[in-house]
Amino acid sequence: QVQLVESGGGLVQPGGSLRLSCTASGSIFSFYFMAWYRQTPGKQRELVASTTRTTSPTYAGSVKGRFTISKDGAKNTMYLQMNSLKPEDTAVYYCYAQGGNNYWGQGTQVTVSS
């Protein structure tokens, strides 16, 4: 059973930056699709950024130009670099991976507030 563990969340002021990490217990090369989602209370989970083995990354319109998704196969880790953070980016961020099965991390809280 593959496990995904997120880290890097926290409290940051508007305009600041954070880098989230999602480390898999196995090789991330086994996943065709990996993504970051976020969720706020009372709302549906929202796709923030995604990457596959064969296509360019995609981003939600609200984060395009500010967030960057990347992977490091040697570390079995996916990242989300978040710059120019806004209060509306406040959410629990989840990583997701799709291979033979679907896997979710436990989530990490990001709070953007002054």
Side-chain angles (χ1 to χ4, degrees):
Q1 180 74 6
V2 174
Q3 289 186 320
L4 303 176
V5 179
E6 298 107 333
S7 60
L11 173 64
V12 63
Q13 291 187 339
S17 299
L18 281 175
R19 188 177 78 158
L20 305 183
S21 300
C22 171
T23 301
S25 58
S27 172
I28 63 171
F29 293 119
S30 65
F31 304 128
Y32 174 75
F33 177 87
M34 296 188 75
W36 288 97
Y37 287 77
R38 66 187 181 188
Q39 189 171 25
T40 54
K43 293 189 176 181
Q44 285 191 330
R45 201 167 287 189
E46 171 193 22
L47 178 62
V48 175
S50 65
T51 180
T52 74
R53 292 186 203 146
T54 58
T55 59
S56 298
T58 61
Y59 299 92
S62 59
V63 308
K64 195 172 293 184
R66 300 188 296 122
F67 290 11
T68 303
I69 188 171
S70 62
K71 295 183 292 187
D72 185 336
K75 296 182 179 180
N76 292 325
T77 299
M78 176 177 67
Y79 302 99
L80 186 68
Q81 178 67 44
M82 305 186 295
N83 299 328
S84 303
L85 282 161
K86 304 175 181 181
E88 50 264 43
D89 295 318
T90 295
V92 178
Y93 284 72
Y94 297 90
C95 67
Y96 170 81
Q98 184 180 61
N101 293 303
N102 302 327
Y103 303 98
W104 288 96
Q106 82 287 356
T108 186
Q109 176 70 47
V110 171
T111 302
V112 184
S113 175
S114 55

